[in-house]
Amino acid sequence: MSVVKSLMAGRIIEDDLFPYPKLADKDREVLGMMIEAIDQFLASHQSDFKRWDREGAQPAEFIQGLRDLGLFGLIIPEEHGGLGLSNAGYARVLSQSSRYDSSVSLTIGAHSSIGMKGLLLFGTPEQRARYLPKLASGEMIAAFCLTEAGAGSDAASIRTRAEQSADGSWILNGEKIWITNGGIADLYTVFARTASEAGKITAFMVEAAWPGVSHGHHEDKMGIRASSTTTVSFLDVKVPPQNVLDAEGKGFKVAMAILNNGRTGLGGGAVGGMKTLIALATQQALARKQFGEPIATYGLIREKIAQMAVECFAAESVVWMVAHYIDAGFDDYSVEAAISKVYASEAIQRAAYEALQIAAGAGFMRNLPYEQAVRDCRILSIFEGTNEVLRLYIALSGLKELGKSLAELRTAVDEIFNNPIKGFGVLTDYAERRLTHVTGVGRDKIVGKIPSALREATSIYEKYTVELAKASDFLLRKYGKSIAGRQHALKRVADMTIDLFVGLCVLSRATSLATEAGDAGKRAVGIAHAFARQAKRRMANNVRRIERNEDEEMELLAGFVLDSGSYPWDID
Ligand SMILES: Cc1cc2nc3c(=O)[nH]c(=O)nc-3n(C[C@H](O)[C@H](O)[C@H](O)COP(=O)(O)OP(=O)(O)OC[C@H]3O[C@@H](n4cnc5c(N)ncnc54)[C@H](O)[C@@H]3O)c2cc1C
């Protein structure tokens, strides 16, 4: 069971959380030079980013500069001409470019995280040899084509079709929308429904230069305006059979694997953006005087700055823990990756809101960077899986695993009579878990590894791991399979799970940093403590509301407003 699925069953897998992972030496070598080069190149374009945001495009010479820096080959193995960075190293690069501009990061990120990731994960040696060198140099830029007008979150409902001809090639027809890098890409990973195999989805690699492939105009967006977003259309495009990724009918699995694997890029970008926001907010708070003092002396401003630091540390801790799981070859990390995406994407939106609030009127003016930051980060909770859908995924994945163990229990009870030994084991596990819920005795202890200053935080996570398991158990028993339709309850389970997993990542990282000399180590302990107390309040609230809540009233109210079609109360 994955780390988070185990949490939902009441167990903290310490070995997968402690000690906090470090960057690999090989990554460090590459990163040192790469980060310096990024700083130099992007700092020289600092004044251009605002203009490109207004104009809604990055000039071709600038994209060439990104190519020259090697930014399209970050995760491509060295033997194919790339830098061979791990997920953790890659996320670190995106966090650096995001300190300057989100559109730049997205251009690089959409290429690596999703555009050509399918080739890395599922490509045959021949496919890799054919495309990876060109993708590494940036001679080819990649994009990921899943979304359609009628298929957003419900990606399985796509209608783009591929029909196989007698010679084995595929004829592709359909239109994709909102494709990042759509207007500059040379290679698309396209998902289409195949006529055979009962209409299952298949992934294809399609070159932009092939007859019948075209893209629409550059979308006029709220944020990340300089990154290319277009429709991409396929009209009778002939795709050779050797351009199928993985196997026919496996496209949905391919799409989900790409998205899961790519989430740390987005998370790394969010962390970099938050660091810039913290730097801006700090400078502003120190420079701006009101009532005779810098506003940085006022508690309400200090609280915002401290909170931004807590949440940036938390986002960083969870994103790099997940990157480590991927790099270490864990099989099952999709729920953890979803948590890191949800947490980091929401943390940066809070940070952007608060940084603008600290700058207040000045922050509202377009000559300062705050309004662009607010616009740019808004997309993060929408694409690569909306945060609503990811919350449902987080909760349901854990509950499904727990449901399996309850089903096993049912079999075990029957088995006791037929095969006492086999049946006994399962029942004992279950009984122990129940006992843990009731008494807390025998529950997993992580205390041994934690500095004394973090004991309180530790016991909060121990207690709420048990509470989460109890809540999950309760919901499964009450609703059975129909829990899938109980979204209010699922959101509470997801939010508790997010707090627990992010909190444990923070605890692990603070434990490693606590031994370091100087203020940074001490303050990391303070952050872990603050996060744990805040998480405790949120989790306690969620636990209380598992059984006592206003869900029914809210459902009735939603029905009423939806039927009315508007807000039906006016002051007369
Ligand atoms: C700037 C930009 C770049 C993008 N880049 C790409 C790209 O490169 N490649 C690509 O393929 N796509 C891309 N997308 C598409 C993006 O992934 C989708 O917008 C996203 O998947 C959501 O789909 P949707 O917008 O159609 O929203 P919908 O799926 O219509 O959702 C609308 C609302 O309903 C909620 N919702 C949906 N289903 C449920 C449910 N079952 N339960 C509860 N709530 C639900 C959603 O959370 C959301 O709040 C991009 C989009 C944008 C805006």
PDB file of all heavy atoms in Angstrom, residues 433-466:
ATOM      1  N   ARG A 433      -6.226  -3.121  14.209  1.00  0.00           N
ATOM      2  CA  ARG A 433      -6.510  -1.776  13.725  1.00  0.00           C
ATOM      3  C   ARG A 433      -7.690  -1.170  14.491  1.00  0.00           C
ATOM      4  O   ARG A 433      -7.669  -0.015  14.898  1.00  0.00           O
ATOM      5  CB  ARG A 433      -6.785  -1.827  12.223  1.00  0.00           C
ATOM      6  CG  ARG A 433      -6.675  -0.505  11.552  1.00  0.00           C
ATOM      7  CD  ARG A 433      -6.376  -0.633  10.060  1.00  0.00           C
ATOM      8  NE  ARG A 433      -7.332  -1.466   9.369  1.00  0.00           N
ATOM      9  CZ  ARG A 433      -8.582  -1.093   9.118  1.00  0.00           C
ATOM     10  NH1 ARG A 433      -9.009   0.089   9.490  1.00  0.00           N
ATOM     11  NH2 ARG A 433      -9.397  -1.893   8.476  1.00  0.00           N
ATOM     12  N   ARG A 434      -8.708  -2.006  14.718  1.00  0.00           N
ATOM     13  CA  ARG A 434      -9.865  -1.522  15.482  1.00  0.00           C
ATOM     14  C   ARG A 434      -9.435  -1.111  16.880  1.00  0.00           C
ATOM     15  O   ARG A 434      -9.847  -0.081  17.389  1.00  0.00           O
ATOM     16  CB  ARG A 434     -10.943  -2.612  15.605  1.00  0.00           C
ATOM     17  CG  ARG A 434     -11.585  -2.982  14.315  1.00  0.00           C
ATOM     18  CD  ARG A 434     -12.399  -1.868  13.722  1.00  0.00           C
ATOM     19  NE  ARG A 434     -13.456  -1.412  14.607  1.00  0.00           N
ATOM     20  CZ  ARG A 434     -14.238  -0.360  14.355  1.00  0.00           C
ATOM     21  NH1 ARG A 434     -14.046   0.346  13.264  1.00  0.00           N
ATOM     22  NH2 ARG A 434     -15.188   0.007  15.183  1.00  0.00           N
ATOM     23  N   LEU A 435      -8.571  -1.950  17.483  1.00  0.00           N
ATOM     24  CA  LEU A 435      -8.126  -1.666  18.844  1.00  0.00           C
ATOM     25  C   LEU A 435      -7.384  -0.328  18.852  1.00  0.00           C
ATOM     26  O   LEU A 435      -7.582   0.517  19.727  1.00  0.00           O
ATOM     27  CB  LEU A 435      -7.182  -2.782  19.303  1.00  0.00           C
ATOM     28  CG  LEU A 435      -6.707  -2.670  20.745  1.00  0.00           C
ATOM     29  CD1 LEU A 435      -7.844  -2.984  21.698  1.00  0.00           C
ATOM     30  CD2 LEU A 435      -5.555  -3.632  20.995  1.00  0.00           C
ATOM     31  N   THR A 436      -6.582  -0.146  17.843  1.00  0.00           N
ATOM     32  CA  THR A 436      -5.842   1.096  17.722  1.00  0.00           C
ATOM     33  C   THR A 436      -6.795   2.276  17.684  1.00  0.00           C
ATOM     34  O   THR A 436      -6.599   3.275  18.351  1.00  0.00           O
ATOM     35  CB  THR A 436      -5.013   1.051  16.419  1.00  0.00           C
ATOM     36  OG1 THR A 436      -4.146  -0.037  16.511  1.00  0.00           O
ATOM     37  CG2 THR A 436      -4.231   2.310  16.208  1.00  0.00           C
ATOM     38  N   HIS A 437      -7.859   2.124  16.902  1.00  0.00           N
ATOM     39  CA  HIS A 437      -8.813   3.228  16.802  1.00  0.00           C
ATOM     40  C   HIS A 437      -9.385   3.567  18.158  1.00  0.00           C
ATOM     41  O   HIS A 437      -9.536   4.716  18.517  1.00  0.00           O
ATOM     42  CB  HIS A 437      -9.992   2.845  15.896  1.00  0.00           C
ATOM     43  CG  HIS A 437      -9.608   2.663  14.476  1.00  0.00           C
ATOM     44  ND1 HIS A 437     -10.496   2.288  13.517  1.00  0.00           N
ATOM     45  CD2 HIS A 437      -8.417   2.798  13.867  1.00  0.00           C
ATOM     46  CE1 HIS A 437      -9.871   2.207  12.359  1.00  0.00           C
ATOM     47  NE2 HIS A 437      -8.606   2.509  12.558  1.00  0.00           N
ATOM     48  N   VAL A 438      -9.715   2.534  18.907  1.00  0.00           N
ATOM     49  CA  VAL A 438     -10.441   2.768  20.148  1.00  0.00           C
ATOM     50  C   VAL A 438      -9.503   3.265  21.239  1.00  0.00           C
ATOM     51  O   VAL A 438      -9.817   4.201  21.967  1.00  0.00           O
ATOM     52  CB  VAL A 438     -11.159   1.476  20.597  1.00  0.00           C
ATOM     53  CG1 VAL A 438     -11.892   1.691  21.911  1.00  0.00           C
ATOM     54  CG2 VAL A 438     -12.136   1.040  19.520  1.00  0.00           C
ATOM     55  N   THR A 439      -8.339   2.666  21.346  1.00  0.00           N
ATOM     56  CA  THR A 439      -7.505   2.957  22.514  1.00  0.00           C
ATOM     57  C   THR A 439      -6.228   3.726  22.191  1.00  0.00           C
ATOM     58  O   THR A 439      -5.624   4.316  23.059  1.00  0.00           O
ATOM     59  CB  THR A 439      -7.039   1.642  23.163  1.00  0.00           C
ATOM     60  OG1 THR A 439      -6.202   0.983  22.223  1.00  0.00           O
ATOM     61  CG2 THR A 439      -8.205   0.752  23.521  1.00  0.00           C
ATOM     62  N   GLY A 440      -5.826   3.684  20.945  1.00  0.00           N
ATOM     63  CA  GLY A 440      -4.528   4.298  20.627  1.00  0.00           C
ATOM     64  C   GLY A 440      -3.370   3.399  21.021  1.00  0.00           C
ATOM     65  O   GLY A 440      -2.228   3.707  20.717  1.00  0.00           O
ATOM     66  N   VAL A 441      -3.647   2.249  21.649  1.00  0.00           N
ATOM     67  CA  VAL A 441      -2.560   1.369  22.066  1.00  0.00           C
ATOM     68  C   VAL A 441      -2.011   0.641  20.830  1.00  0.00           C
ATOM     69  O   VAL A 441      -2.773   0.189  19.990  1.00  0.00           O
ATOM     70  CB  VAL A 441      -3.072   0.315  23.070  1.00  0.00           C
ATOM     71  CG1 VAL A 441      -1.988  -0.721  23.368  1.00  0.00           C
ATOM     72  CG2 VAL A 441      -3.518   1.000  24.344  1.00  0.00           C
ATOM     73  N   GLY A 442      -0.714   0.571  20.756  1.00  0.00           N
ATOM     74  CA  GLY A 442      -0.112  -0.214  19.683  1.00  0.00           C
ATOM     75  C   GLY A 442      -0.060   0.515  18.368  1.00  0.00           C
ATOM     76  O   GLY A 442       0.347  -0.026  17.366  1.00  0.00           O
ATOM     77  N   ARG A 443      -0.482   1.761  18.348  1.00  0.00           N
ATOM     78  CA  ARG A 443      -0.444   2.464  17.075  1.00  0.00           C
ATOM     79  C   ARG A 443       1.012   2.774  16.717  1.00  0.00           C
ATOM     80  O   ARG A 443       1.896   2.798  17.566  1.00  0.00           O
ATOM     81  CB  ARG A 443      -1.277   3.732  17.117  1.00  0.00           C
ATOM     82  CG  ARG A 443      -0.676   4.787  18.000  1.00  0.00           C
ATOM     83  CD  ARG A 443      -1.657   5.941  18.125  1.00  0.00           C
ATOM     84  NE  ARG A 443      -0.996   7.035  18.814  1.00  0.00           N
ATOM     85  CZ  ARG A 443      -1.615   7.890  19.573  1.00  0.00           C
ATOM     86  NH1 ARG A 443      -2.906   7.778  19.782  1.00  0.00           N
ATOM     87  NH2 ARG A 443      -0.971   8.867  20.155  1.00  0.00           N
ATOM     88  N   ASP A 444       1.214   3.024  15.449  1.00  0.00           N
ATOM     89  CA  ASP A 444       2.582   3.276  14.994  1.00  0.00           C
ATOM     90  C   ASP A 444       3.171   4.483  15.689  1.00  0.00           C
ATOM     91  O   ASP A 444       2.540   5.524  15.797  1.00  0.00           O
ATOM     92  CB  ASP A 444       2.584   3.534  13.484  1.00  0.00           C
ATOM     93  CG  ASP A 444       2.470   2.241  12.746  1.00  0.00           C
ATOM     94  OD1 ASP A 444       3.447   1.482  12.763  1.00  0.00           O
ATOM     95  OD2 ASP A 444       1.393   1.992  12.204  1.00  0.00           O
ATOM     96  N   LYS A 445       4.409   4.302  16.131  1.00  0.00           N
ATOM     97  CA  LYS A 445       5.082   5.394  16.831  1.00  0.00           C
ATOM     98  C   LYS A 445       6.208   5.906  15.953  1.00  0.00           C
ATOM     99  O   LYS A 445       7.032   5.137  15.474  1.00  0.00           O
ATOM    100  CB  LYS A 445       5.664   4.877  18.144  1.00  0.00           C
ATOM    101  CG  LYS A 445       4.609   4.678  19.216  1.00  0.00           C
ATOM    102  CD  LYS A 445       4.264   6.004  19.847  1.00  0.00           C
ATOM    103  CE  LYS A 445       3.122   5.837  20.861  1.00  0.00           C
ATOM    104  NZ  LYS A 445       2.468   7.095  21.165  1.00  0.00           N
ATOM    105  N   ILE A 446       6.214   7.214  15.750  1.00  0.00           N
ATOM    106  CA  ILE A 446       7.321   7.759  14.995  1.00  0.00           C
ATOM    107  C   ILE A 446       8.193   8.621  15.909  1.00  0.00           C
ATOM    108  O   ILE A 446       9.155   9.221  15.479  1.00  0.00           O
ATOM    109  CB  ILE A 446       6.838   8.565  13.776  1.00  0.00           C
ATOM    110  CG1 ILE A 446       5.758   9.541  14.156  1.00  0.00           C
ATOM    111  CG2 ILE A 446       6.358   7.654  12.697  1.00  0.00           C
ATOM    112  CD1 ILE A 446       5.270  10.396  12.989  1.00  0.00           C
ATOM    113  N   VAL A 447       7.825   8.619  17.174  1.00  0.00           N
ATOM    114  CA  VAL A 447       8.442   9.531  18.129  1.00  0.00           C
ATOM    115  C   VAL A 447       9.959   9.383  18.214  1.00  0.00           C
ATOM    116  O   VAL A 447      10.672  10.385  18.316  1.00  0.00           O
ATOM    117  CB  VAL A 447       7.793   9.330  19.519  1.00  0.00           C
ATOM    118  CG1 VAL A 447       8.631   9.949  20.620  1.00  0.00           C
ATOM    119  CG2 VAL A 447       6.418   9.954  19.520  1.00  0.00           C
ATOM    120  N   GLY A 448      10.452   8.144  18.103  1.00  0.00           N
ATOM    121  CA  GLY A 448      11.869   7.907  18.323  1.00  0.00           C
ATOM    122  C   GLY A 448      12.775   8.770  17.463  1.00  0.00           C
ATOM    123  O   GLY A 448      13.870   9.129  17.863  1.00  0.00           O
ATOM    124  N   LYS A 449      12.291   9.101  16.255  1.00  0.00           N
ATOM    125  CA  LYS A 449      13.157   9.806  15.315  1.00  0.00           C
ATOM    126  C   LYS A 449      13.020  11.328  15.403  1.00  0.00           C
ATOM    127  O   LYS A 449      13.688  12.054  14.684  1.00  0.00           O
ATOM    128  CB  LYS A 449      12.782   9.367  13.901  1.00  0.00           C
ATOM    129  CG  LYS A 449      13.091   7.913  13.681  1.00  0.00           C
ATOM    130  CD  LYS A 449      12.503   7.402  12.404  1.00  0.00           C
ATOM    131  CE  LYS A 449      12.868   5.933  12.272  1.00  0.00           C
ATOM    132  NZ  LYS A 449      11.988   5.177  11.443  1.00  0.00           N
ATOM    133  N   ILE A 450      12.172  11.801  16.246  1.00  0.00           N
ATOM    134  CA  ILE A 450      11.790  13.206  16.195  1.00  0.00           C
ATOM    135  C   ILE A 450      12.419  13.979  17.360  1.00  0.00           C
ATOM    136  O   ILE A 450      12.411  13.496  18.495  1.00  0.00           O
ATOM    137  CB  ILE A 450      10.244  13.320  16.329  1.00  0.00           C
ATOM    138  CG1 ILE A 450       9.550  12.356  15.388  1.00  0.00           C
ATOM    139  CG2 ILE A 450       9.778  14.747  16.152  1.00  0.00           C
ATOM    140  CD1 ILE A 450       9.511  12.754  13.964  1.00  0.00           C
ATOM    141  N   PRO A 451      12.925  15.192  17.111  1.00  0.00           N
ATOM    142  CA  PRO A 451      13.453  15.977  18.235  1.00  0.00           C
ATOM    143  C   PRO A 451      12.336  16.349  19.219  1.00  0.00           C
ATOM    144  O   PRO A 451      11.169  16.441  18.814  1.00  0.00           O
ATOM    145  CB  PRO A 451      14.019  17.234  17.569  1.00  0.00           C
ATOM    146  CG  PRO A 451      13.533  17.245  16.180  1.00  0.00           C
ATOM    147  CD  PRO A 451      13.056  15.877  15.824  1.00  0.00           C
ATOM    148  N   SER A 452      12.723  16.553  20.472  1.00  0.00           N
ATOM    149  CA  SER A 452      11.684  16.741  21.498  1.00  0.00           C
ATOM    150  C   SER A 452      10.788  17.943  21.178  1.00  0.00           C
ATOM    151  O   SER A 452       9.603  17.928  21.478  1.00  0.00           O
ATOM    152  CB  SER A 452      12.312  16.868  22.878  1.00  0.00           C
ATOM    153  OG  SER A 452      13.241  17.918  22.834  1.00  0.00           O
ATOM    154  N   ALA A 453      11.362  18.963  20.525  1.00  0.00           N
ATOM    155  CA  ALA A 453      10.552  20.150  20.208  1.00  0.00           C
ATOM    156  C   ALA A 453       9.412  19.818  19.251  1.00  0.00           C
ATOM    157  O   ALA A 453       8.475  20.593  19.108  1.00  0.00           O
ATOM    158  CB  ALA A 453      11.444  21.231  19.602  1.00  0.00           C
ATOM    159  N   LEU A 454       9.503  18.669  18.603  1.00  0.00           N
ATOM    160  CA  LEU A 454       8.461  18.314  17.638  1.00  0.00           C
ATOM    161  C   LEU A 454       7.569  17.176  18.119  1.00  0.00           C
ATOM    162  O   LEU A 454       6.795  16.611  17.349  1.00  0.00           O
ATOM    163  CB  LEU A 454       9.104  17.955  16.289  1.00  0.00           C
ATOM    164  CG  LEU A 454       9.645  19.175  15.535  1.00  0.00           C
ATOM    165  CD1 LEU A 454      10.443  18.768  14.311  1.00  0.00           C
ATOM    166  CD2 LEU A 454       8.499  20.099  15.124  1.00  0.00           C
ATOM    167  N   ARG A 455       7.666  16.855  19.402  1.00  0.00           N
ATOM    168  CA  ARG A 455       6.828  15.761  19.941  1.00  0.00           C
ATOM    169  C   ARG A 455       5.337  16.087  19.826  1.00  0.00           C
ATOM    170  O   ARG A 455       4.527  15.230  19.505  1.00  0.00           O
ATOM    171  CB  ARG A 455       7.178  15.503  21.411  1.00  0.00           C
ATOM    172  CG  ARG A 455       8.553  14.899  21.632  1.00  0.00           C
ATOM    173  CD  ARG A 455       8.547  13.392  21.357  1.00  0.00           C
ATOM    174  NE  ARG A 455       9.881  12.922  21.052  1.00  0.00           N
ATOM    175  CZ  ARG A 455      10.821  12.662  21.959  1.00  0.00           C
ATOM    176  NH1 ARG A 455      10.576  12.808  23.245  1.00  0.00           N
ATOM    177  NH2 ARG A 455      12.008  12.245  21.582  1.00  0.00           N
ATOM    178  N   GLU A 456       4.995  17.353  20.106  1.00  0.00           N
ATOM    179  CA  GLU A 456       3.563  17.705  20.044  1.00  0.00           C
ATOM    180  C   GLU A 456       3.048  17.505  18.614  1.00  0.00           C
ATOM    181  O   GLU A 456       1.983  16.918  18.409  1.00  0.00           O
ATOM    182  CB  GLU A 456       3.360  19.151  20.492  1.00  0.00           C
ATOM    183  CG  GLU A 456       1.879  19.528  20.477  1.00  0.00           C
ATOM    184  CD  GLU A 456       1.630  21.020  20.660  1.00  0.00           C
ATOM    185  OE1 GLU A 456       2.410  21.695  21.363  1.00  0.00           O
ATOM    186  OE2 GLU A 456       0.635  21.509  20.076  1.00  0.00           O
ATOM    187  N   ALA A 457       3.849  17.999  17.651  1.00  0.00           N
ATOM    188  CA  ALA A 457       3.440  17.852  16.250  1.00  0.00           C
ATOM    189  C   ALA A 457       3.274  16.371  15.916  1.00  0.00           C
ATOM    190  O   ALA A 457       2.303  15.950  15.275  1.00  0.00           O
ATOM    191  CB  ALA A 457       4.478  18.490  15.340  1.00  0.00           C
ATOM    192  N   THR A 458       4.217  15.561  16.401  1.00  0.00           N
ATOM    193  CA  THR A 458       4.177  14.128  16.108  1.00  0.00           C
ATOM    194  C   THR A 458       2.899  13.504  16.653  1.00  0.00           C
ATOM    195  O   THR A 458       2.214  12.741  15.952  1.00  0.00           O
ATOM    196  CB  THR A 458       5.398  13.440  16.747  1.00  0.00           C
ATOM    197  OG1 THR A 458       6.553  14.158  16.372  1.00  0.00           O
ATOM    198  CG2 THR A 458       5.508  11.997  16.308  1.00  0.00           C
ATOM    199  N   SER A 459       2.560  13.858  17.887  1.00  0.00           N
ATOM    200  CA  SER A 459       1.381  13.182  18.441  1.00  0.00           C
ATOM    201  C   SER A 459       0.111  13.665  17.745  1.00  0.00           C
ATOM    202  O   SER A 459      -0.866  12.920  17.653  1.00  0.00           O
ATOM    203  CB  SER A 459       1.306  13.309  19.959  1.00  0.00           C
ATOM    204  OG  SER A 459       1.407  14.632  20.307  1.00  0.00           O
ATOM    205  N   ILE A 460       0.150  14.896  17.212  1.00  0.00           N
ATOM    206  CA  ILE A 460      -1.026  15.351  16.436  1.00  0.00           C
ATOM    207  C   ILE A 460      -1.212  14.439  15.213  1.00  0.00           C
ATOM    208  O   ILE A 460      -2.306  13.960  14.933  1.00  0.00           O
ATOM    209  CB  ILE A 460      -0.835  16.825  15.985  1.00  0.00           C
ATOM    210  CG1 ILE A 460      -0.983  17.756  17.186  1.00  0.00           C
ATOM    211  CG2 ILE A 460      -1.840  17.195  14.884  1.00  0.00           C
ATOM    212  CD1 ILE A 460      -0.627  19.209  16.921  1.00  0.00           C
ATOM    213  N   TYR A 461      -0.111  14.159  14.506  1.00  0.00           N
ATOM    214  CA  TYR A 461      -0.258  13.323  13.303  1.00  0.00           C
ATOM    215  C   TYR A 461      -0.613  11.883  13.661  1.00  0.00           C
ATOM    216  O   TYR A 461      -1.375  11.233  12.945  1.00  0.00           O
ATOM    217  CB  TYR A 461       1.009  13.393  12.433  1.00  0.00           C
ATOM    218  CG  TYR A 461       1.258  14.807  11.940  1.00  0.00           C
ATOM    219  CD1 TYR A 461       2.471  15.446  12.166  1.00  0.00           C
ATOM    220  CD2 TYR A 461       0.237  15.504  11.297  1.00  0.00           C
ATOM    221  CE1 TYR A 461       2.668  16.754  11.739  1.00  0.00           C
ATOM    222  CE2 TYR A 461       0.428  16.806  10.886  1.00  0.00           C
ATOM    223  CZ  TYR A 461       1.638  17.431  11.112  1.00  0.00           C
ATOM    224  OH  TYR A 461       1.819  18.722  10.705  1.00  0.00           O
ATOM    225  N   GLU A 462      -0.077  11.394  14.764  1.00  0.00           N
ATOM    226  CA  GLU A 462      -0.451  10.034  15.186  1.00  0.00           C
ATOM    227  C   GLU A 462      -1.946   9.967  15.490  1.00  0.00           C
ATOM    228  O   GLU A 462      -2.649   9.066  15.037  1.00  0.00           O
ATOM    229  CB  GLU A 462       0.352   9.633  16.424  1.00  0.00           C
ATOM    230  CG  GLU A 462       1.800   9.329  16.097  1.00  0.00           C
ATOM    231  CD  GLU A 462       2.585   8.945  17.340  1.00  0.00           C
ATOM    232  OE1 GLU A 462       2.173   9.318  18.451  1.00  0.00           O
ATOM    233  OE2 GLU A 462       3.608   8.276  17.185  1.00  0.00           O
ATOM    234  N   LYS A 463      -2.398  10.956  16.248  1.00  0.00           N
ATOM    235  CA  LYS A 463      -3.812  10.939  16.642  1.00  0.00           C
ATOM    236  C   LYS A 463      -4.715  11.033  15.407  1.00  0.00           C
ATOM    237  O   LYS A 463      -5.680  10.282  15.267  1.00  0.00           O
ATOM    238  CB  LYS A 463      -4.091  12.114  17.585  1.00  0.00           C
ATOM    239  CG  LYS A 463      -5.559  12.300  17.949  1.00  0.00           C
ATOM    240  CD  LYS A 463      -5.709  13.351  19.034  1.00  0.00           C
ATOM    241  CE  LYS A 463      -7.068  14.010  19.121  1.00  0.00           C
ATOM    242  NZ  LYS A 463      -8.236  13.224  19.143  1.00  0.00           N
ATOM    243  N   TYR A 464      -4.362  11.954  14.491  1.00  0.00           N
ATOM    244  CA  TYR A 464      -5.271  12.148  13.366  1.00  0.00           C
ATOM    245  C   TYR A 464      -5.128  11.073  12.285  1.00  0.00           C
ATOM    246  O   TYR A 464      -6.021  10.917  11.449  1.00  0.00           O
ATOM    247  CB  TYR A 464      -5.177  13.584  12.833  1.00  0.00           C
ATOM    248  CG  TYR A 464      -5.983  14.481  13.739  1.00  0.00           C
ATOM    249  CD1 TYR A 464      -5.381  15.144  14.810  1.00  0.00           C
ATOM    250  CD2 TYR A 464      -7.361  14.563  13.604  1.00  0.00           C
ATOM    251  CE1 TYR A 464      -6.140  15.903  15.690  1.00  0.00           C
ATOM    252  CE2 TYR A 464      -8.131  15.312  14.476  1.00  0.00           C
ATOM    253  CZ  TYR A 464      -7.510  15.980  15.520  1.00  0.00           C
ATOM    254  OH  TYR A 464      -8.281  16.703  16.396  1.00  0.00           O
ATOM    255  N   THR A 465      -4.052  10.327  12.305  1.00  0.00           N
ATOM    256  CA  THR A 465      -3.978   9.165  11.418  1.00  0.00           C
ATOM    257  C   THR A 465      -5.061   8.175  11.858  1.00  0.00           C
ATOM    258  O   THR A 465      -5.798   7.605  11.031  1.00  0.00           O
ATOM    259  CB  THR A 465      -2.584   8.513  11.503  1.00  0.00           C
ATOM    260  OG1 THR A 465      -1.633   9.470  11.086  1.00  0.00           O
ATOM    261  CG2 THR A 465      -2.481   7.288  10.619  1.00  0.00           C
ATOM    262  N   VAL A 466      -5.166   7.999  13.151  1.00  0.00           N
ATOM    263  CA  VAL A 466      -6.193   7.101  13.675  1.00  0.00           C
ATOM    264  C   VAL A 466      -7.581   7.674  13.389  1.00  0.00           C
ATOM    265  O   VAL A 466      -8.497   6.953  12.969  1.00  0.00           O
ATOM    266  CB  VAL A 466      -5.975   6.881  15.199  1.00  0.00           C
ATOM    267  CG1 VAL A 466      -7.104   6.064  15.794  1.00  0.00           C
ATOM    268  CG2 VAL A 466      -4.641   6.206  15.433  1.00  0.00           C
TER     269      VAL A 466
END
